Structures are given as C-alpha cells and as structure tokens.
C-alpha cells in the first residue's frame, strides 16, 4: 500500500471536498451538466525494464519526468505482463485477456477478427480515439494505417519500427520529406557512414545514431502525440490517445546529445554465462538463447557496457518526450480530467542469463513499469500488490464509468487505488505464458512452427509461468521446468525444480497452473442458460 498518506484518509478528504463543493450554490439536478468522462492518455514504451526508471530505485538512470509522473501516480512495483513478447503482450493489454484466450501468440501474425480491442470499446462509448507510433496489432495484412483504424482508432499516425514495415510507416514518409539525410537509414550508426565516421573522436559511443535527434522516431512520436493532444482537446468528446514508442527496443542507436549522457558510467553488468551453464537450462531456453549464427551470450564486456549506456540513453530521450507530452496536456487544460497510463509491453534481459531481448519468464522480461494518474481520484503512492497488465483495461473502463467486458480476465484496480466502491481482492499469484523458443522467421532466423513437429526439436513449445510472493514456477511440456525461490534467490540463478525437498512446492504450483488454464476462460466456455 502507498505511503505516506493512507487510502482511507485520502478518500475521506475527497469526500469532505466533494461535500463542500456540493454545498456551494443550490443548483438542482436538472440545472447541472453531467460531468464528462475522463480522457485516457496511454503512453507505452517497448522493451523497458521495471528497474529502468529512477523512481523505481535506479540510482543511475536520468528520468526526471517519469519520476514526477510516478510521484503523482499509483506506481506499481510488481506489475507483470501476460506474455513477454510484443504482440501477445499488447493484445493482453488491449483485451484484458490472457494470451491463451485471445490466441495471438506470435509476433507479426493477425489477431482474431472477433476480438474487440480497448480503443474500439471506448470509441463505441463516444470517445475520440487516436494512435501515434507503434501498434503491432492488426486484423489484416498489411500493417497499414488503414488497417490500424479497423482496430478502433479514428486517427492513426503509424510507425511499427522495422525495415520490413517501413512501406506503411507514416514516420518513414514524414522523414523522407523533411530529413536532409533521408538516404541514410534511421537505424544506421554514425560509425558506418563514411562522412560521419571520419569526424568521430576516440571514446565516442559506437551506437551514436547517424541521423539528427529531431528526425528520430522517438522525437517524431512525441511531436505527433502533442499535435494530436492539441487537436483532440478542442472537441467536447473525451479522448483515448495511445502514444507508443519503439524505443528502448534494440537496435541500440541513440542520437546526439543523448548518446554521451552515460559515457562515464561503468555499469554493473550481468555475470558472464558459459555454454556449459546455458546447457543446464531447460532445452526450450537453450534453443532460444543459442539461436542465430553467433549467439551473444559471451559478448565482450566493453560492447555490453556501451549497450547499457545506449539503452539508458534511449530511455532518457523518451523521458524528455514524456515531459513535453504532459506539459502539452496541461496547457490544453485537460490534465485534471485525464487518466495517464505509463507502461511497457515487456522488459529486456540485457544479457542476463546469456540472452539479449525477451521471450523468457525471468524478472527482467516479465516485470514492467506501470503508473496510473488521475488527479483527485487516484491516490498517488507505491503499490506493492501483485498485479497483471490485463488489469489495466478493467481499471480504465471502471474509472471511465463504463461496464467491464464480461470476457475480461483482469481485475479492476480502482477499488485499490481510487474512489470507486467495492472491495479489492488482491492476487496471490500472477501468470504469464509464451511460445519458447519464439517463432521467428525473418532475416537469418528460421524458427518456424511445424505442426506435428514443433520448433527446432521442441515438440510442444507453449510454456507457462506462475509467480507468487516467494516462488516462480515455469512449466514446459516434455518434462522441463524451473523453480526459483525469489526470497533467497532474487536473480533466479538456482533452479530447484528437480530438488526432492521442493517436490511439494512444485506439485502445488503445477496444480495452480492447471487450475488457471481451466478457470480463466470459463465465461467463454460456459453458457449462462439454455436458449429454450
């Protein structure tokens, strides 16, 4: 629970204030205009770890605007995604449903056309809806602005952020019109462009971007979000604005001046992993970590240190844009009636356990920052309850005075953090699931799922996780498992799944996974009554 102000005293103060305001004047109910539903500004980053916000305990990273937002928000210290990979995670955010229910399990694959997403629900309720940046959720190919609109957005300025999707990118089209260096790819590094490389000084960040900061997709996403805010604030309808940044997702290019912010920092890097230690992990994890022509598990320390510097710098760049967005929200007069959500779709291993990226159940991948702000209604503070990111959708619906969808698996956080009625039933466990190893068939990778054969020798690659206060149990079909004692082993280094002394714990947690899989979708499978 948050500190230093208790929820009870906050709500009592709110009630006193509400009563005092009601006593001023004696307007009849007929004379009073109904209050407008709150707006929703949903800011999402891609692949940002929970611990990469200064307010969340990081003494190195520079995130002053996110820190200010955290101080004004319900800031959740233990929020977990329902799938540690982009598309399934975002589908869970926007449906309030577990991945095995919405069935969008693999990147760059379409969502079920019967699935109703959050922007469509809000548009149906009278909201203006807009998307700026990365969506990654489509009913149809190609991933274009027109197809993004079919998911529930009125206004779309799209950028899914890869070379393969640039033909449909509004950012790429904009940059081609405005950037004098338009012929240089926006992910290019300065050291790889001859005229720039010739002028680089020793000690320059090797991940310095080849393009100027004003033409990066991070700055573009911030600029276009502010433009959308100003436009939507002019209309009487409430709005839902989804501002979605590509970064700090790899590759790690970062523009001047952010590229040098952390040059003097020597990071405490993950311990080096050997092939021998990786081969002690469950086989699906081995396949994931060792994929590709040159797995990075033994990356040299200097290169990894520069990656950390650049990853942190990208977050500081985003932080500046978040500050500018929130300032524009204030200038439009909408800050007091806008729910601000800040979250990331999943984290990044940054070579912990020998892996770059995500797709695993280690804390660095499944635990994310989550903040919700609504002045006067949401009580600021740090909340240490276990929460799932599927809880965001029902929370927003309830705060907006809208019914929570019957097929939603999440629990509204409003009774915990806000002035809504009802009791909050805290979770004693959270769940996640993923296809391990990941289906990935672009570039040099060929990890195709073959029906009847699986992926690279893993016949059943669908893995499940349950995490309680103390324990994390990861179940892989075909006899693989992980059990970590988070109390005594917070870095998840010692797998106890085969320890006879922990057999009872394994049995209990395996049973919880089974119960979860059976009960989570009961509203999908059990009809309320006969039709005749």
């Amino acid at each position: 629970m948050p500190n230093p102000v208790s929820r009870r005293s906050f709500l009592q103060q709110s009630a006193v204030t509400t009563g005092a305001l009601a006593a001023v004047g004696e307007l009849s109910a007929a004379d009073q205009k109904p209050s407008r539903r709150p707006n929703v500004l949903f800011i999402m980053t891609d692949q940002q770890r929970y611990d990469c916000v200064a307010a969340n305990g990081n003494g190195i990273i520079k995130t002053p605007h996110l820190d200010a937002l955290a101080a004004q928000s319900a800031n959740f210290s233990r929020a977990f995604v329902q799938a540690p990979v982009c598309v399934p995670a975002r589908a869970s955010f926007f449906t309030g449903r577990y991945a095995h229910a919405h069935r969008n399990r693999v990147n760059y694959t379409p969502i079920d056309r019967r699935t109703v997403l959050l922007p469509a629900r809000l548009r149906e309720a009278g909201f203006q809806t807009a998307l700026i940046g990365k969506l990654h959720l489509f009913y149809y190919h190609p991933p274009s602005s027109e197809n993004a609109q079919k998911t529930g957005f009125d206004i779309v300025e799209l950028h899914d952020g890869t070379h393969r999707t640039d033909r449909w990118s509004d950012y790429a089209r904009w940059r081609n019109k405005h950037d004098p260096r338009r012929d240089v790819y926006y992910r290019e590094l300065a050291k790889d462009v001859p005229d720039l490389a010739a002028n680089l000084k020793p000690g320059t960040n090797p991940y310095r971007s080849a393009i100027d900061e004003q033409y990066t997709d991070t700055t573009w996403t911030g600029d276009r979000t502010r433009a959308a805010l100003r436009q939507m604030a002019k209309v009487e309808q409430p709005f839902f604005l989804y501002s979605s940044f590509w970064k700090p997702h790899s590759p790690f290019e970062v523009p001047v001046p952010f590229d040098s912010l952390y040059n003097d920092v020597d990071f405490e890097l993950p311990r080096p992993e050997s092939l021998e230690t990786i081969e002690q992990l469950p086989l699906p994890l081995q396949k994931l970590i060792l994929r590709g022509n040159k797995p990075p598990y033994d990356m040299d320390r200097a290169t990894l240190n520069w990656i950390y510097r650049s990853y942190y710098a990208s977050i500081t760049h985003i932080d500046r844009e978040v500050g500018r967005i929130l300032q524009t929200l204030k200038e439009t007069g909408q800050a007091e009636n806008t729910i601000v959500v800040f979250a990331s779709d999943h984290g990044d291993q940054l070579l912990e356990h020998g892996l770059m990226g995500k797709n695993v159940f280690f804390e660095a991948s499944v635990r994310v920052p989550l903040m919700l702000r609504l002045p006067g209604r949401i009580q600021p503070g740090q909340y240490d309850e276990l929460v799932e990111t599927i809880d965001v959708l029902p929370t927003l619906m309830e705060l907006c005075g809208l019914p929570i969808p019957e097929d939603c698996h999440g629990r509204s956080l409003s009774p915990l953090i806000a002035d809504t009625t009802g009791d909050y039933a805290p979770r004693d466990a959270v769940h996640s699931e993923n296809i391990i190893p990941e289906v990935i068939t672009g570039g040099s990778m060929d990890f195709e799922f073959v029906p009847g054969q699986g992926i690279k020798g893993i016949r059943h690659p669908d893995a499940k996780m349950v995490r309680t206060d103390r324990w994390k149990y990861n179940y892989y079909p075909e006899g693989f498992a992980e059990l970590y004692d988070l109390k005594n082993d917070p870095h998840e280094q010692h797998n106890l799944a085969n320890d006879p002394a922990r057999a009872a714990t394994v049995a209990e947690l395996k049973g919880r996974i089974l119960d979860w899989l059976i009960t989570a979708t009961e509203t999908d499978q059990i009809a309320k009554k006969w039709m005749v």
Side-chain angles (χ1 to χ4, degrees):
M1 291 295 292
N3 289 304
V5 181
S6 71
R7 179 177 183 272
R8 178 175 295 176
S9 63
F10 172 82
L11 298 181
Q12 287 174 341
Q13 293 167 12
S14 297
V16 170
T17 303
T18 301
L21 290 173
V24 177
E26 296 185 359
L27 293 176
S28 68
D31 294 326
Q32 298 180 34
K33 293 182 179 180
S35 59
R36 199 184 77 171
R37 300 189 194 278
N39 310 305
V40 179
L41 170 60
F42 195 143
I43 302 172
M44 179 171 280
T45 59
D46 195 324
Q47 211 153 301
Q48 181 175 354
R49 298 162 56 115
Y50 166 79
D51 59 10
C52 283
V53 178
N56 291 345
N58 189 316
I60 297 173
I61 201 162
K62 300 176 175 67
T63 53
H65 303 292
L66 288 175
D67 299 343
L69 178 62
Q72 300 160 358
S73 301
N75 183 22
F76 291 91
S77 65
R78 296 198 295 172
F80 293 85
V81 297
Q82 275 49 80
V85 64
C86 301
V87 171
R90 290 164 185 258
S92 287
F93 267 106
F94 271 23
T95 62
R97 290 164 61 78
Y98 292 110
H100 68 266
H102 65 62
R103 299 189 298 172
N104 197 194
R105 307 297 307 279
V106 175
N107 275 346
Y108 297 107
T109 57
I111 54 176
D112 190 313
R113 293 172 190 173
R114 296 168 296 178
T115 302
V116 182
L117 301 178
L118 176 61
R121 294 190 186 279
L122 293 178
R123 184 167 67 179
E124 179 67 21
F127 282 67
Q128 312 167 73
T129 58
L131 158 70
I132 308 296
K134 182 174 182 177
L135 178 58
H136 234 22
L137 290 175
F138 294 89
Y139 296 122
Y140 306 94
H141 183 81
S144 63
S145 293
E146 293 74 19
N147 281 334
Q149 287 179 318
K150 294 173 184 176
T151 66
F153 290 104
D154 301 315
I155 301 167
V156 173
E157 295 191 47
L158 182 68
H159 178 55
D160 263 14
T162 71
H163 195 68
R164 292 190 296 270
T165 61
D166 279 353
R167 73 182 78 174
W168 304 289
S169 168
D170 293 304
Y171 159 73
R173 282 192 287 270
W174 169 87
R175 181 174 170 258
N176 286 338
K177 291 180 181 178
H178 296 92
D179 188 355
R181 302 191 69 97
R182 63 182 63 87
D183 293 335
V184 176
Y185 181 47
Y186 59 87
R187 301 289 183 219
E188 198 75 67
L189 302 177
K191 68 182 180 65
D192 296 326
V193 178
D195 66 312
L196 297 176
N199 296 311
L200 294 179
K201 297 178 180 179
T204 297
N205 187 337
Y207 294 98
R208 174 182 286 185
S209 174
I211 70 172
D212 289 343
E213 170 268 317
Q214 63 182 312
Y215 300 115
T216 61
D217 52 2
T218 294
T219 296
W220 176 84
T221 301
D223 285 345
R224 299 314 301 159
T225 298
R226 294 193 293 279
L229 270 177
R230 288 188 285 266
Q231 176 183 342
M232 299 174 90
K234 296 176 183 177
V235 181
E236 188 62 27
Q237 293 170 272
F239 62 76
F240 172 73
L241 175 53
Y242 181 46
S243 177
S244 181
F245 291 86
W246 168 269
K247 290 294 183 180
H249 193 295
S250 61
F252 298 103
E253 87 289 345
V254 60
V256 175
F258 298 96
D259 67 313
S260 60
L261 282 180
Y262 299 94
N263 278 10
D264 60 346
V265 178
D266 289 320
F267 285 88
E268 183 178 344
L269 302 174
R271 74 176 194 181
E273 298 290 349
S274 67
L275 183 60
E276 181 182 7
T277 59
I278 292 171
E279 289 177 342
Q280 294 174 11
L281 293 169
L283 188 58
L285 282 185
Q286 294 180 40
K287 297 286 186 179
L288 177 70
I289 294 170
L290 298 176
R291 68 186 181 182
N293 296 327
K294 192 178 187 309
Y297 67 89
D298 59 351
M299 181 186 301
D300 70 88
R301 301 282 97 182
T303 298
L304 185 57
N305 200 44
W306 279 115
I307 286 175
Y308 270 69
R309 290 167 177 169
S310 302
Y311 182 86
Y312 274 48
S314 288
I315 294 171
T316 300
H317 187 180
I318 292 170
D319 179 81
R320 186 196 69 178
E321 295 306 313
V322 170
R324 290 176 171 180
I325 291 168
L326 296 179
Q327 179 60 31
T328 298
L329 181 67
K330 181 178 180 181
E331 291 169 356
T332 61
Q334 299 297 320
E336 297 301 307
N337 193 42
T338 298
I339 305 166
V340 176
V341 182
F342 178 83
S344 193
D345 57 353
H346 50 75
D348 194 319
Q349 288 300 117
L350 291 177
L351 215 63
E352 291 183 16
H353 297 90
L355 178 67
M356 296 297 295
K358 63 280 185 182
N359 281 293
V360 293
F361 299 134
F362 296 118
E363 296 285 283
S365 285
V366 294
R367 187 180 178 199
V368 293
L370 176 61
M371 307 174 195
L372 288 92
R373 184 186 82 176
L374 180 56
R377 291 193 61 190
I378 290 179
Q379 180 189 1
Q382 178 175 306
Y383 290 77
D384 297 325
E385 286 80 1
L386 288 169
V387 301
E388 298 182 330
T389 51
I390 56 170
D391 298 340
V392 172
L393 183 144
T395 303
L396 294 178
M397 298 295 283
E398 186 167 11
L399 288 171
C400 289
L402 297 170
I404 295 171
E406 201 169 70
D407 66 355
C408 177
H409 301 148
R411 301 180 186 180
S412 173
L413 301 168
S414 294
L416 173 67
I417 65 174
D419 56 355
T420 53
T421 58
D423 296 324
Y424 176 73
R427 296 181 182 276
D428 60 2
V430 292
H431 296 87
S432 192
E433 54 194 323
N434 198 31
I435 306 302
I436 303 176
E438 177 190 17
V439 173
I440 182 168
T441 53
S444 62
M445 298 289 186
D446 182 21
F447 274 58
E448 181 180 356
F449 174 72
V450 180
Q453 299 180 35
I455 303 172
K456 297 294 183 183
I458 305 302
R459 174 62 186 87
H460 299 288
D462 192 355
K464 310 295 180 183
M465 179 202 89
V466 59
R467 185 204 191 277
T468 67
D469 276 332
R470 179 174 178 181
W471 297 102
K472 179 183 290 183
Y473 178 71
N474 305 327
Y475 175 80
Y476 307 83
E478 303 174 68
F480 305 111
E482 294 169 281
L483 176 68
Y484 297 107
D485 182 348
L486 299 173
K487 178 180 178 181
N488 297 304
D489 180 25
H491 300 296
E492 301 166 285
Q493 298 292 332
H494 305 290
N495 183 4
L496 304 176
N498 295 320
D499 183 348
R502 299 301 179 190
T505 301
V506 167
E508 177 197 349
L509 295 174
K510 187 182 292 187
R512 293 186 71 142
I513 287 177
L514 179 61
D515 288 348
W516 162 61
L517 291 172
I518 291 173
T519 61
T521 58
E522 65 182 8
T523 57
D524 298 349
Q525 302 185 53
I526 305 175
K528 289 184 176 180
K529 58 183 180 181
W530 288 10
M531 295 179 67
V532 293

